[in-house]
Amino acid sequence: MKTEFRVRPFDSRITMNDALTERLAWEIEQTGRGAAALMLAGGTTPLQSYQALAQRPLAASSALEIFYSDERYVPTTSDASNFRGSRPLLEALALPAERILRVRTELPLERAVEDYERRLRALLRSTTRIPLGILGLGADGHTASLFTESDLRRANGKLAVSVQRPDGRSAVSVTPKLLERIAEIVFVVAGSDKRSALKAMIERKPDSIAARAVAAAPSIEIWADKDALPAS
């Protein structure tokens, strides 16, 4: 049985960002009830929510862990780094360094992949819950840094994989095997340039890499502003 893609429409990107801020704040507050890990997406869409959260008095437990859907293989000081984009939130959470599972891009690429794989496997072996993961959707239909059929094939059986992005950069991405272990995935999608990709995903077109990447995930919501929503 296929997982249902539940679509939650928003009048604007602002209201969607506000909802994401509230959802993440709620999940962070719940970590007092036991060990939990949250997966953050990169890209530009969720950044405003991360920044808004950073301005709040967050009561995060030391049992909270943060990890990432993907990371460009760039220094952590680069504007292209997803880790750098989330730094204000991480600083507000004041988590111990070992509770932040970032891709160590200071390592050679394949060692960075092996290191991320090792730490993700340790996370899954533990009793830590993963109640929520955030993902984006590219105009080309990718999610995380899974762009092509080849990426999905090479990801088979792994939790992390190296990818050559269309822009020429390398990246490290989580895989469908990891995504299926997250209790709920929320896609945040904004902008008219995403409309065709979102339509293909909702309709589970064979060429929708995003739809295939989350095919085994237990629960999926798609949050989309009115510009991204396909015509009904």
Side-chain angles (χ1 to χ4, degrees), residues 132-165:
L132 178 68
I134 307 300
L135 284 175
L137 178 69
D140 59 1
H142 83 273
T143 194
S145 280
L146 300 171
F147 289 85
T148 66
E149 174 82 29
S150 175
D151 294 339
L152 292 178
R153 285 199 302 270
R154 289 186 301 101
N156 188 38
K158 301 175 182 178
L159 300 178
V161 65
S162 63
V163 173
Q164 192 67 23
R165 293 169 47 92

Side-chain angles (χ1 to χ4, degrees), residues 158-223:
K158 301 175 182 178
L159 300 178
V161 65
S162 63
V163 173
Q164 192 67 23
R165 293 169 47 92
D167 62 8
R169 284 191 174 113
S170 296
V172 178
S173 179
V174 299
T175 67
K177 183 176 179 179
L178 184 282
L179 296 175
E180 70 184 34
R181 299 290 297 273
I182 299 174
E184 182 173 20
I185 289 173
V186 171
F187 280 85
V188 287
V189 188
S192 58
D193 61 325
K194 309 290 181 67
R195 191 176 299 150
S196 294
L198 182 55
K199 185 175 189 291
M201 180 182 172
I202 292 170
E203 295 178 356
R204 302 177 190 270
K205 297 290 188 183
D207 60 348
S208 174
I209 298 299
R212 294 171 62 185
V214 297
S219 179
I220 300 164
E221 278 201 354
I222 300 169
W223 293 10

